[in-house]
Amino acid sequence: ETEASGRKKPHFTIELPGYPILGDGKGDNQNHAIPFMRGHYSQGIDANQGAYFEQMMMLPCALGEFRSNKRGDGLGKRIIGFPEHITSDIGSIGDFAASAEVAFGTILQRSYAVLGARMHYGHPDIMNKLYMMQQGGVSKATKTINLSEDIFAGMDFTLRGDGRQIHHREYFHLAKGRDMGFNAVLGFFSKLSSGTGEQILSRQTFRLGQVLHLPEALSFY
């Protein structure tokens, strides 16, 4: 079906949340893509990520992490985190940045998951789309305060409680290309530190400080 101008007539339209330029582009785009997704599970992969055929053979195992033993047991209320394989370890600066990222994505995230303070970081993470829709999307997109847009999905997920769990698994990973120049690496770490400072000002951090037990609270901070 076409319009008089010859263009195809749209069957459905998605209402944008106000003026679209006001928000943060990456978070807004991820949330806007949710109505077009099929299935129950989401994985927001970045444009600078890749995958391996051998890893995709393990995808049924990754999806099996959400399997329930019986209807209504709540085992599907999960975020399953996976590490990233950094492919841009070329040159000394790129190697240092990749090594820092590997350490953060493996031993640190593994420890955070055991201590109950792993939120959502890294876009290999697979999430239950239905529970993400209940909390307003997979990202927060307000400029400045949501500079680190992805961790707020884990913070909101934890705050809702009711058996929700965040796990970390290392048998499955995706490729990731990072910055290799000094200025680019410096800009990335500046973004991380600025985003952490803005998290302290958010209501999610305030509420987590009220509900987390002392070991989880210290691990989170």
Side-chain angles (χ1 to χ4, degrees), residues 85-134:
H85 175 219
I86 312 300
T87 58
S88 56
D89 52 348
I90 303 170
S92 59
I93 297 175
D95 192 19
F96 293 149
S99 300
E101 194 73 19
V102 167
F104 179 77
T106 53
I107 187 170
L108 276 174
Q109 295 291 321
R110 189 188 313 154
S111 303
Y112 293 158
V114 172
L115 295 171
R118 189 197 190 278
M119 300 300 163
H120 162 51
Y121 173 80
H123 299 282
D125 291 11
I126 300 179
M127 299 170 282
N128 193 317
K129 185 186 77 172
L130 301 179
Y131 294 101
M132 292 297 110
M133 292 172 68
Q134 291 177 9

Side-chain angles (χ1 to χ4, degrees), residues 23-31 34 120 123 132-157 159-160 199 202-204 207:
D24 190 46
K26 182 179 175 184
D28 268 338
N29 286 339
Q30 288 180 348
N31 292 336
I34 289 180
H120 162 51
H123 299 282
M132 292 297 110
M133 292 172 68
Q134 291 177 9
Q135 63 187 47
V138 298
S139 293
K140 295 293 183 186
T142 305
K143 272 189 176 295
T144 307
I145 197 168
N146 297 135
L147 187 59
S148 299
E149 77 287 334
D150 45 5
I151 192 174
F152 287 93
M155 293 163 75
D156 280 330
F157 194 76
L159 281 170
R160 288 175 178 263
Q199 287 172 36
S202 66
R203 67 184 69 182
Q204 285 89 354
R207 290 170 179 166

Side-chain angles (χ1 to χ4, degrees), residues 64-76:
E65 299 278 353
F66 296 93
R67 188 177 292 117
S68 298
N69 295 325
K70 60 181 180 180
R71 183 183 294 273
D73 61 3
L75 294 182

